[in-house]
Amino acid sequence: MLHTQAIGAGVTTMIQPKVATVYQHMPTVMSSVSTNPYVGTGATIGTGQTQFSLAGLSSGASCIVRTALAFNPDDDNSNLDVQLKFTTNTATQGTGLTNFTIKKEQALIMNEGADQQYISENLFNFFVGTTLEGSTQSNAGSFSVEVVPSSDGELEVLAVTVNIVA
């Protein structure tokens, strides 16, 4: 069964995937902290696991996040931005920096008309630095995936993959 989210034009919205299968092959430094890297209860759709914790990782670890999204816009000539929204670790939050984003503007350009599905695959690469590292889920940084469309429409999450090299 397909699962879609209604997304409003210009509204930053956290994706809420409906998870069919989870394959977890975490680095030992992460699996020694927790068997489930997902934290958060912000979603009412899908699993409720919307934040990916970077617990167990130290500065220098690298991460690749792949998203595969399908969007059906209500208007012609629309765009969809995709971003990772990071929540910093507790030490960094003490300095006043709580969140930051990495955005791919116009990650999906939809010029063929409204009311049809467009598919986008995006890769985000980043290194874990001192603002994200942490030894536990309560003190480490985390991230979620968000979208910002220029038109109202229906979003379907086809896949989210997180690859970490510790």
Side-chain angles (χ1 to χ4, degrees):
M1 181 174 149
L2 298 179
H3 170 76
T4 60
Q5 284 177 255
I7 307 291
V11 177
T12 302
T13 304
M14 180 174 26
I15 67 167
Q16 300 176 20
K18 181 175 181 180
V19 178
T21 305
V22 174
Y23 298 100
Q24 289 185 5
H25 304 284
M26 296 188 304
T28 304
V29 294
M30 291 184 77
S31 62
S32 64
V33 173
S34 175
T35 57
N36 184 0
Y38 290 96
V39 296
T41 57
T44 56
I45 301 170
T47 65
Q49 297 175 328
T50 56
Q51 293 275 121
F52 188 91
S53 173
L54 300 169
L57 298 178
S58 57
S59 290
S62 65
C63 188
I64 300 171
V65 178
R66 174 186 160 263
T67 63
L69 306 172
F71 191 72
N72 185 340
D74 291 349
D75 300 319
D76 294 342
N77 301 314
S78 300
N79 296 315
L80 180 75
D81 298 340
V82 181
Q83 67 185 19
L84 298 183
K85 180 180 181 183
F86 292 89
T87 299
T88 59
N89 58 24
T90 52
T92 302
Q93 289 177 16
T95 68
L97 177 62
T98 304
N99 299 102
F100 64 92
T101 60
I102 299 173
K103 181 187 278 189
K104 292 206 180 217
E105 292 185 357
Q106 298 182 341
L108 182 55
I109 299 172
M110 301 165 281
N111 289 335
E112 300 298 319
D115 295 324
Q116 62 178 318
Q117 190 176 66
Y118 294 84
I119 296 176
S120 172
E121 182 175 5
N122 295 283
L123 294 174
F124 293 89
N125 303 309
F126 64 92
F127 287 100
V128 173
T130 56
T131 59
L132 297 172
E133 68 182 356
S135 57
T136 66
Q137 287 185 341
S138 63
N139 72 8
S142 62
F143 69 87
S144 60
V145 181
E146 298 178 333
V147 296
V148 185
S150 63
S151 167
D152 292 350
E154 292 288 322
L155 177 77
E156 181 182 354
V157 179
L158 304 174
V160 175
T161 306
V162 181
N163 183 18
I164 295 173
V165 178

